[in-house]
Amino acid sequence: FFEDPWLHLGGTPSARGPYAFTLSVGVDGVSYPQQFTGTVKWPMPSFAAQGLPRAKVGQPYSAQLSGSNWSELGLIAGELPAGLSMDSSGEISGVPTAAGASQFMVTLSNPDYAPGLVLKSFIIFTDPAAPIFTDGVDPLEFQVGEPFSHTFTSDQEAEFSIRSGALPAGTSLTS
């Protein structure tokens, strides 16, 4: 029994589900009941603020999408990079097979919020694999006064250049 002209309901619901209660307001000895019914819902799902790391062709990749208040996660638009997949926990893993940018959209849902209500777009940039020298000769055998010839090859179309150091005196690079 409360004698103030107001009544405050507060707290933190601890369980999901229906509720029903009746409050009564008494004025001058007359009681006026009011029933309240509804459902305590899950909070709306949300994504954590995050970007995804870059991937590299041929290298194992792993990233975890994160959020709160969700029970289901799904890919609803776009595609992951070739060679990668996403499991039901939001872990993206695999070995990318092609360079490029892949944009996709993910939804979070729970029993009170249907898929498609909470969306986030992600991009994974996949860098090409580093080229590999395929000639297999190291060190190169130079001799003073003797002609020398060697062709460098790569497993990819590439542009060759000297990054540091200097060629032996009397030699040059040509393409």
Side-chain angles (χ1 to χ4, degrees), residues 87-146:
D87 68 17
S88 62
S89 75
E91 181 181 9
I92 300 170
S93 62
V95 178
T97 59
S102 296
Q103 185 169 7
F104 54 97
M105 190 169 291
V106 176
T107 183
L108 296 179
S109 59
N110 66 33
D112 293 316
Y113 293 92
L117 292 176
V118 178
L119 306 169
K120 185 166 183 180
S121 181
F122 294 93
I123 296 177
I124 296 177
F125 295 98
T126 303
D127 298 324
I132 298 171
F133 282 95
T134 57
D135 55 346
V137 176
D138 187 32
L140 299 172
E141 299 290 333
F142 295 98
Q143 293 181 4
V144 173
E146 294 293 320

Side-chain angles (χ1 to χ4, degrees), residues 123-174:
I123 296 177
I124 296 177
F125 295 98
T126 303
D127 298 324
I132 298 171
F133 282 95
T134 57
D135 55 346
V137 176
D138 187 32
L140 299 172
E141 299 290 333
F142 295 98
Q143 293 181 4
V144 173
E146 294 293 320
F148 180 85
S149 177
H150 180 81
T151 301
F152 294 97
T153 58
S154 169
D155 66 339
Q156 301 176 33
E157 264 194 49
E159 293 180 13
F160 292 92
S161 64
I162 295 178
R163 184 172 184 163
S164 65
L167 295 173
T171 65
S172 62
L173 291 173
T174 59

Side-chain angles (χ1 to χ4, degrees), residues 8-19:
H8 174 77
L9 171 64
T12 303
S14 60
R16 178 182 176 270
Y19 65 85

